[in-house]
Amino acid sequence: MDTPPRKKKSPWKVVLIVLGVVLLIGGSAFGYFVFKANETAENTNKELERGDKSERREETIDLTKDHFSVLLAGVDGGASLEEGRSDSLMVATFNKESRQVTLVSIPRDSYVDIIIDDNDPFKDKINHAYAYGGIDATISTVENLLDIPIDYYATINFDGIEDLVDAVGGVEIDVLIPISGQATGNVELEPGVQVLNGKEALAYARMRKQDPAGDIGRAGRQQQVIEAIINEATTINSFTKLNRIMNAVGENIRTNMSLSEASQLQPYVKSLKSFNRETLEGTDLTLNGVYYYELDPTDLRDAQALLQTELGMPVTADEPETDETDDSMTETTTY
């Protein structure tokens, strides 16, 4: 199975709002877009408790001149974006000078320090941060893990992916592995290039246990689906599909990025089709009978250095310290 190229980035929600700028059909269509985009933005916007600036920033960033980052979270909370866990986490950096977009996927079971407000950190799976403290705790946890500021976020209900794929009329995917069974909603797919509908694309993006590469394989498939959505969305030229996309966005996505800020992302549109990407690597770990994914310290350090460089920050990542774990508590398990 092909391994996806390293370091790649593309925001669920950011891509969709940027879409508005890309979809300028001209004339009266632009007027319709402005009306619909503003209506959608009202539904999707949700500010963070911290305000509009990360504590790791001295000043609020200016998208017209600064490099910036976006946290993308796929939330598995049923019909609610306020509950559940972040089933998928990706950090995207946008470099103002190179127009380069870089995406780093964080495996959902990564064993990390969870940061909630001013409380002492505690170890758990990174996807539990959302259940403990919502998007605010998730951002604090990711900032601590990667040692960078998170400037914006976008959360999407996983059910929204199905709506979004159907809104763009399906996506062409090179299916890497066969999937089937009740765990995939009885969706059956064989390897090969094919057009998937919303239900099929969601099953392909979410399936994990049937993938020999586990979480890493799933992260690669999720990135495939994101790219396919971008490719389809940026070629849309009809009011009907535009309306469907806006409805899918408004019902299933939340972000702290305003419409005016999103409109400033137009220079990155081409980069969204050819971004760098990476998935943090590690090893399987079992503690007290619970499965975790232990991130490789060297790979994590490399990812920190890359993201810091893309954000124009000093590289602070040092040689990793050896974390000695009590052998009586730990056992490495191969799946």
Side-chain angles (χ1 to χ4, degrees), residues 84-86 89 108 110 112-116 122 124-142:
R85 299 173 180 174
S86 53
L89 283 175
R108 53 169 280 173
S110 297
V112 304
D113 286 327
I114 304 296
I115 310 295
I116 302 178
F122 60 93
D124 205 338
K125 297 181 180 184
I126 195 168
N127 73 328
H128 288 189
Y130 197 90
Y132 290 130
I135 191 62
D136 292 274
T138 301
I139 287 176
S140 296
T141 298
V142 172

Side-chain angles (χ1 to χ4, degrees), residues 126-303:
I126 195 168
N127 73 328
H128 288 189
Y130 197 90
Y132 290 130
I135 191 62
D136 292 274
T138 301
I139 287 176
S140 296
T141 298
V142 172
E143 286 186 330
N144 180 70
L145 174 69
L146 298 178
D147 198 17
I148 61 170
I150 296 297
D151 301 305
Y152 295 98
Y153 81 88
T155 59
I156 182 169
N157 188 327
F158 261 114
D159 291 341
I161 297 176
E162 181 173 343
D163 295 339
L164 186 54
V165 170
D166 286 337
V168 299
V171 292
E172 184 174 274
I173 296 286
D174 183 3
V175 176
L176 301 178
I177 58 176
I179 68 171
S180 62
Q182 291 184 345
T184 64
N186 294 319
V187 169
E188 296 191 5
L189 297 174
E190 293 296 327
V193 178
Q194 52 202 285
V195 176
L196 306 185
N197 61 28
K199 182 178 180 180
E200 292 168 335
L202 178 60
Y204 181 69
R206 296 189 68 175
M207 187 275 293
R208 179 168 60 115
K209 293 185 177 180
Q210 295 179 32
D211 194 325
D215 233 7
I216 301 300
R218 182 171 66 166
R221 285 181 277 108
Q222 289 171 345
Q223 291 169 345
Q224 275 188 287
V225 173
I226 292 174
E227 290 180 73
I229 291 173
I230 294 172
N231 290 336
E232 290 297 328
T234 53
T235 61
I236 290 174
N237 58 3
S238 77
F239 286 125
T240 301
K241 285 189 176 181
L242 176 57
N243 191 59
R244 289 174 181 169
I245 289 174
M246 289 298 184
N247 288 337
V249 169
E251 294 175 1
N252 296 292
I253 292 176
R254 297 294 179 270
T255 182
N256 64 333
M257 180 174 284
S258 68
L259 182 61
S260 61
E261 288 172 322
S263 67
Q264 295 170 14
L265 299 183
Q266 189 176 17
Y268 294 98
V269 168
K270 290 183 179 179
S271 296
L272 291 174
K273 291 189 175 183
S274 60
F275 44 80
N276 294 328
R277 72 180 175 192
E278 174 179 327
T279 297
L280 292 179
E281 298 179 356
T283 55
D284 297 324
L285 173 71
T286 299
L287 294 176
N288 294 328
V290 179
Y291 171 77
Y292 299 94
Y293 189 73
E294 186 172 40
L295 296 175
D296 178 79
T298 300
D299 191 67
L300 175 59
R301 188 181 71 252
D302 290 345

Side-chain angles (χ1 to χ4, degrees), residues 68-83:
F68 62 95
S69 64
V70 180
L71 175 67
L72 314 169
V75 179
D76 186 8
S80 173
L81 271 169
E82 313 303 325
E83 302 174 354

